[in-house]
């Protein structure tokens, strides 16, 4: 049972009659695979050999699938040499006629059918189950454990991917059915979604209050005074000398850094061990900068001796650009070592501190330029970015686009600026107890990582090189990050999984930048434990 649904093997004459009607509705009217007829019923050519697994709601048929183990299968007729694509098996069945009424198409019906299918396959000791999966539902089949093989079959409007399921995954289907029931319920103690995103994060209550104020002109004396106050707070927080504040995302701030580097036409070095290191390479390339790279695998820390060797072999290098906290992997690169390396060689160090400011202690003294944003660790609204620097920057008239010329931002803001956004950031900064926050995030991250590792999850960042506020998790191959992320959202937990670079690697990410406590995270860890523990026992 799932809700008021009943899942069973069809045995009654009335059930078979509804099966023929749904068969017609799906494979004649919706998917034109068969000719129309006046009776509006379609009896499958293998009907007498089929076992039908069905879903009923008070006797009304909602969905079905058919299982048959006599050769030739329908796939035998569509794929010559079918067995050559398959792993060795003694007993094989084919799953066909998967159909759910349009108005009731949701995951509970599908997974309930496959749950009964898993039990049936175990009882029959089938070594292999074949299916032609609708290409539009590939993610679902992947989540259920099916493996694609061979060429697609069918035609326009009805294209299918042949797939198979092995006994090792029958158990996984049953466990996913149980998991869905648990995860679709609201997690205990959560009324509003618990955000563990790296952005937007839970907004500081002081930022929320300030955001609701009456807008003021960005030319007014009050605004200029408050702008300078915010600059001072940022410099104090990060140990920098000056701050240029822009309306835009971190990408804008990094473009402004690249623009500044382009003025001297010096050679540089860009480091990359994740998505945002690759984006720095892209920034530098788009601005036509002359540079070399040191790149390492995502999730790995840098070999700092290699960086030194690269600089020593390229004595004309004048600047080095790196990400401090690599958002994609949760790796915290060592800014202190990079400073030492650069100072020793007279190289100007530039850092992307977008995910580290407000989450880890920063000392940007000796750093040429560093970027940050109003959201993430500072817990204000996204939309403001800034460049922290340790020397005054003069305007580059006629050499750079106005909006990217950091020299124009030294006094009052030269362009239209939202006072509400500024005051929200000001409110967040003025009420930020940095030392307490750093300690709390670090202790919480250590606890969460230990719990995840004990449960059996793989943390992407290696021990000793983790960013406290970012925990990127590699899911096992039998779990799909998108499916897992969506189910957690239904349970009231917002995790980062939608970024393309996460989906490509089957990663999910827990960010501790907002208002996170053990009490709020405990239900999430319980849900994640329910995901992996049954499968570990099966193995």
């Amino acid at each position: 049972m799932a809700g008021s649904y009943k899942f069973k093997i069809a045995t009654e004459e009335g059930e078979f009659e509804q099966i023929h009607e749904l068969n017609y509705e799906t494979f004649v009217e919706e998917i034109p695979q068969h000719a129309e007829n006046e009776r509006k019923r379609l009896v499958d050519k293998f009907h007498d050999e089929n076992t039908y697994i069905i879903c009923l709601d008070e006797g009304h048929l909602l969905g079905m699938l058919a299982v048959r183990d006599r050769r030739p299968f329908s796939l035998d007729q569509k794929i010559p040499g079918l067995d050559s694509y398959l792993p060795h098996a003694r007993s094989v069945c084919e799953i066909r006629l998967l159909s759910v009424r349009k108005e009731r198409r949701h995951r509970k019906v599908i997974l309930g059918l496959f749950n009964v299918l898993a039990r049936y396959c175990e009882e029959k000791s089938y070594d292999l189950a074949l299916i032609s999966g609708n290409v539009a539902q590939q993610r679902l089949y992947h989540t259920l454990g099916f493996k694609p093989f061979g060429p697609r079959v069918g035609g326009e409007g009805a294209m299918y991917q042949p797939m198979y399921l092995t006994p090792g995954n029958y158990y996984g289907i049953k466990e996913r059915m149980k998991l869905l029931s648990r995860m679709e319920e609201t997690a205990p103690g959560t009324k509003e979604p618990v955000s563990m995103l790296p952005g937007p994060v839970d907004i500081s209550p002081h930022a929320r209050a300030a955001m609701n104020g009456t807008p003021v002109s960005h030319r007014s004396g009050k605004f200029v005074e408050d702008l300078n106050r915010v600059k001072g707070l940022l410099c104090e927080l990060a140990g920098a000398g000056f701050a240029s504040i822009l309306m835009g995302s971190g990408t804008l701030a990094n473009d402004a850094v690249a623009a500044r580097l382009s003025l001297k036409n010096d050679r540089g070095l860009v480091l990359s061990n994740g998505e945002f290191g690759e984006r720095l390479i892209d920034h530098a390339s788009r601005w036509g900068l002359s540079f070399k790279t040191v790149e390492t695998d995502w999730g790995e820390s840098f070999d700092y001796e290699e960086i030194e060797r690269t600089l020593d072999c390229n004595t004309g290098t004048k600047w080095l650009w790196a990400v401090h906290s690599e958002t994609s992997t949760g790796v915290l690169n060592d800014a202190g070592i990079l400073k030492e390396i650069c100072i020793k060689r007279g190289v100007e160090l530039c850092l992307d501190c977008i995910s580290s400011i407000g989450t880890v202690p920063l000392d940007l003294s000796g750093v040429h330029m560093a970027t940050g944003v109003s959201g993430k660790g500072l817990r204000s609204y996204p939309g403001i970015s800034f460049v922290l620097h340790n020397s005054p920057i003069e305007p580059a008239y006629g050499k750079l686009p106005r909006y990217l010329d950091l020299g124009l931002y030294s006094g009052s803001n030269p362009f239209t600026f939202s006072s509400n956004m500024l005051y929200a950031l000001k409110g967040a900064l003025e009420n930020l107890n940095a030392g307490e926050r750093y300690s709390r995030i670090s202790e919480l991250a250590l606890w969460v990582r230990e719990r995840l590792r004990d449960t059996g999850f793989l943390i992407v960042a290696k021990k000793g090189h983790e960013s406290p506020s970012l925990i990127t998790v590699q899911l096992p191959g039998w779990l799909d990050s998108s499916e897992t992320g969506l189910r957690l959202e239904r349970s009231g937990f917002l995790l980062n999984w939608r970024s393309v670079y996460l989906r490509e690697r089957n990663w999910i990410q827990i960010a501790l930048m907002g208002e996170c406590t053990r009490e709020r995270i405990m239900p999430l860890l319980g849900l994640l434990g329910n995901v992996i523990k049954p499968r570990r026992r099966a193995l």
Side-chain angles (χ1 to χ4, degrees):
M1 296 289 289
S4 61
Y5 301 155
K6 181 178 182 180
F7 296 95
K8 65 182 293 270
I9 292 176
T11 56
E12 306 297 326
E13 186 61 35
E15 294 169 350
F16 290 120
E17 188 58 37
Q18 291 190 75
I19 286 169
H20 302 326
E21 292 173 357
L22 180 56
N23 206 18
Y24 184 90
E25 179 182 309
T26 302
F27 299 105
V28 176
E29 296 181 335
E30 182 177 356
I31 304 173
Q33 292 181 249
H34 300 275
E36 296 181 2
N37 63 64
E38 292 183 357
R39 297 187 63 188
K40 292 189 178 297
R41 64 196 298 272
L42 176 63
V43 179
D44 183 62
K45 60 183 178 181
F46 299 122
H47 173 66
D48 292 336
E49 300 171 3
N50 289 339
T51 296
Y52 294 96
I53 296 170
I54 60 175
C55 173
L56 299 173
D57 184 2
E58 296 183 350
H60 179 61
L61 181 69
L62 301 186
M64 67 178 187
L65 59 79
V67 187
R68 175 174 170 268
D69 59 11
R70 291 185 60 180
R71 305 289 289 263
F73 297 141
S74 61
L75 274 174
D76 280 307
Q77 302 168 12
K78 300 171 183 176
I79 302 179
L82 174 64
D83 289 329
S84 65
Y85 292 95
L86 305 175
H88 175 72
R90 296 184 303 274
S91 180
V92 185
C93 68
E94 184 177 42
I95 305 163
R96 302 174 56 250
L97 307 182
L98 174 60
S99 176
V100 180
R101 294 194 186 277
K102 288 183 179 180
E103 68 275 13
R104 307 300 282 272
R105 286 179 183 168
H106 49 72
R107 296 294 169 86
K108 282 188 176 180
V109 175
I110 295 289
L111 289 177
L113 292 171
F114 277 99
N115 184 38
V116 178
L117 169 69
R119 291 200 302 267
Y120 181 79
C121 287
E122 285 182 315
E123 291 169 1
K124 290 290 187 178
S125 299
Y126 293 136
D127 295 320
L128 207 63
L130 309 181
I131 194 170
S132 297
N134 191 301
V135 295
Q137 298 295 328
Q138 293 300 288
R139 189 182 301 277
L140 171 64
Y141 289 110
H142 173 74
T143 300
L144 291 171
F146 283 91
K147 304 295 183 183
F149 71 88
R152 291 181 174 181
V153 298
E156 185 176 355
M159 187 65 70
Y160 298 91
Q161 173 63 57
M163 312 179 87
Y164 66 78
L165 187 73
T166 58
N169 281 323
Y170 297 161
Y171 185 89
I173 288 179
K174 293 192 294 184
E175 290 305 323
R176 289 182 184 96
M177 178 58 187
K178 296 176 185 176
L179 174 64
L180 181 70
S181 299
R182 289 194 295 266
M183 295 181 73
E184 286 190 342
E185 297 174 356
T186 302
T190 58
K191 295 181 180 180
E192 295 183 359
V194 176
S195 176
M196 294 183 206
L197 298 168
V201 301
D202 286 334
I203 305 299
S204 157
H206 304 286
R208 288 181 184 274
M211 188 70 169
N212 293 328
T214 302
V216 302
S217 169
H218 65 287
R219 302 296 184 200
S220 69
K222 178 71 167 59
F223 179 88
V224 174
E225 178 183 335
D226 290 327
L227 177 65
N228 289 330
R229 168 68 173 158
V230 171
K231 289 181 179 180
L233 290 169
L234 288 171
C235 290
E236 181 181 347
L237 178 66
F242 302 89
S244 299
I245 301 181
L246 303 81
M247 281 289 293
S249 69
T251 300
L252 174 65
N254 281 330
D255 257 342
V257 169
R260 203 74 202 175
L261 293 174
S262 73
L263 294 175
K264 294 183 179 180
N265 204 29
D266 292 327
R267 294 198 301 275
L269 179 66
V270 182
L271 311 183
S272 175
N273 59 350
E275 169 69 17
F276 292 88
E278 292 189 4
R279 293 192 191 186
L280 293 187
I281 294 174
D282 183 62
H283 281 289
S285 298
R286 288 171 181 267
W287 277 92
L289 305 184
S290 175
F291 66 97
K292 291 185 176 296
T293 64
V294 171
E295 301 176 58
T296 190
D297 292 340
W298 287 32
E300 298 294 328
S301 57
F302 291 116
D303 180 342
Y304 293 98
E305 292 182 357
E306 179 188 1
I307 294 171
E308 290 186 285
R309 289 193 298 270
T310 303
L311 289 172
D312 292 341
C313 291
N314 296 272
T315 54
T317 301
K318 297 298 183 183
W319 54 267
L320 185 151
W321 200 3
V323 176
H324 183 208
S325 176
E326 176 52 67
T327 310
S328 61
T329 62
V331 171
L332 184 68
N333 295 314
D334 197 320
I337 293 179
L338 291 176
K339 280 205 307 184
E340 291 177 9
I341 290 172
C342 290
I343 290 172
K344 181 179 178 181
R345 293 164 176 79
V347 173
E348 293 180 335
L349 175 62
C350 300
L351 291 175
D352 176 332
C353 295
I354 287 169
S355 287
S356 57
I357 190 164
T359 63
V360 296
L362 285 178
D363 178 11
L364 297 180
S365 59
V367 173
H368 181 50
M369 290 184 286
T371 53
V373 294
S374 54
K376 297 188 181 293
L378 296 183
R379 296 189 61 203
S380 187
Y381 293 89
I384 291 178
S385 60
F386 46 85
V387 179
L388 302 169
H389 44 100
N390 283 298
S391 300
I393 296 178
E394 297 298 322
Y397 296 112
K399 297 179 181 179
L400 295 176
R402 289 176 58 83
Y403 208 63
L404 295 175
D405 185 355
L406 292 174
L408 296 180
Y409 293 85
S410 58
S412 61
N413 197 287
F415 311 113
T416 300
F417 203 103
S418 166
S419 62
N420 299 75
M421 294 288 292
L422 180 76
Y423 292 142
L425 177 56
K426 178 172 175 285
L429 287 168
E430 287 180 335
N431 293 277
L432 175 64
N433 186 329
E436 179 185 334
R437 176 167 167 77
Y438 300 151
S439 177
R440 186 173 67 251
I441 291 175
S442 180
E443 291 175 4
L444 183 60
L446 179 62
W447 177 76
V448 172
R449 285 192 176 92
E450 287 177 348
R451 291 290 302 272
L452 288 170
R453 287 189 175 110
D454 288 346
T455 305
F457 285 103
L458 176 65
I459 308 299
V460 173
K462 303 298 186 293
K463 285 187 176 181
H465 301 281
E466 308 106 320
S467 175
S469 63
L470 294 163
I471 303 171
T472 303
V473 180
Q474 171 72 67
L475 294 183
W478 54 273
L479 269 181
D480 181 79
S481 60
S482 298
E483 293 287 338
T484 303
L486 281 171
R487 292 172 185 176
L488 290 170
E489 284 185 9
R490 296 188 192 109
S491 297
F493 294 97
L494 305 180
L495 274 64
N496 189 21
W497 58 268
R498 284 187 165 86
S499 298
V500 172
Y501 57 84
L502 294 177
R503 297 202 310 270
E504 288 176 346
R505 291 164 177 80
N506 205 35
W507 292 353
I508 60 173
Q509 188 177 72
I510 300 171
L512 305 178
M513 296 178 174
E515 186 58 41
C516 295
T517 63
R518 289 193 182 192
E519 291 71 25
R520 300 188 83 192
I521 296 177
M522 185 71 79
L524 168 66
L525 297 177
L527 290 172
L528 288 171
N530 288 337
V531 171
I532 199 170
K533 284 182 179 178
R535 182 57 179 261
R536 290 180 68 198
R537 288 197 298 268
L539 298 175

